[in-house]
Amino acid sequence: MQRTMDEAFAQAIDHKSLAPIQAWLLVWAQNIEIARRLDLRSRYQHAQDVLATYDKHGHDDEEAVNRALAEISAVLDEAQQAVRG
C-alpha cells in the first residue's frame, strides 16, 4: 500500500493533478471497508482462497475461477458504494 501511495503522489506531482491521489484514497478506503466489515472480508478472502487454490494446484476449473473473480468484483463494488455514500 505504501508503494502505491508513493506512486500516486509522484504521479500527482508529475501531472500537476490530485486525481492520482484521489484514486489511491478510494482504493485505500475500499480496503479499510473490506477489513472492517466481517461479511465483506469473509467473501473477499474466500474468493481469494479459491483463486490461490486453483493457481497453486494448476486446476482448470474455469467456472470456479469466474465465480471467484465475480465475487471479488462484487465485494469491491459494494465497498466502493459504502465509501462513496
Side-chain angles (χ1 to χ4, degrees), residues 25-50:
L25 283 172
L26 180 58
V27 170
W28 174 79
Q30 281 177 317
N31 288 337
I32 297 298
E33 186 68 15
I34 292 168
R36 73 175 198 85
R37 287 183 43 192
L38 180 59
D39 62 322
L40 292 181
R41 187 172 65 236
S42 296
R43 290 169 50 204
Y44 191 76
Q45 188 60 54
H46 176 71
Q48 286 185 322
D49 291 347
V50 168

Side-chain angles (χ1 to χ4, degrees), residues 7-21:
E7 290 171 0
F9 276 82
Q11 288 175 0
I13 292 167
D14 289 346
H15 300 281
K16 295 178 175 56
S17 169
L18 292 176
I21 296 170

Side-chain angles (χ1 to χ4, degrees), residues 3-4 14-16 20-23 36-37 42 45 52 57 59-60 62 64 68 71 73 78-79 82 84:
R3 181 182 52 80
T4 58
D14 289 346
H15 300 281
K16 295 178 175 56
I21 296 170
Q22 291 169 327
R36 73 175 198 85
R37 287 183 43 192
S42 296
Q45 188 60 54
H57 297 294
H59 293 230
D60 192 25
E62 191 173 316
E71 182 66 2
S73 181
E78 190 172 333
R84 288 184 178 225

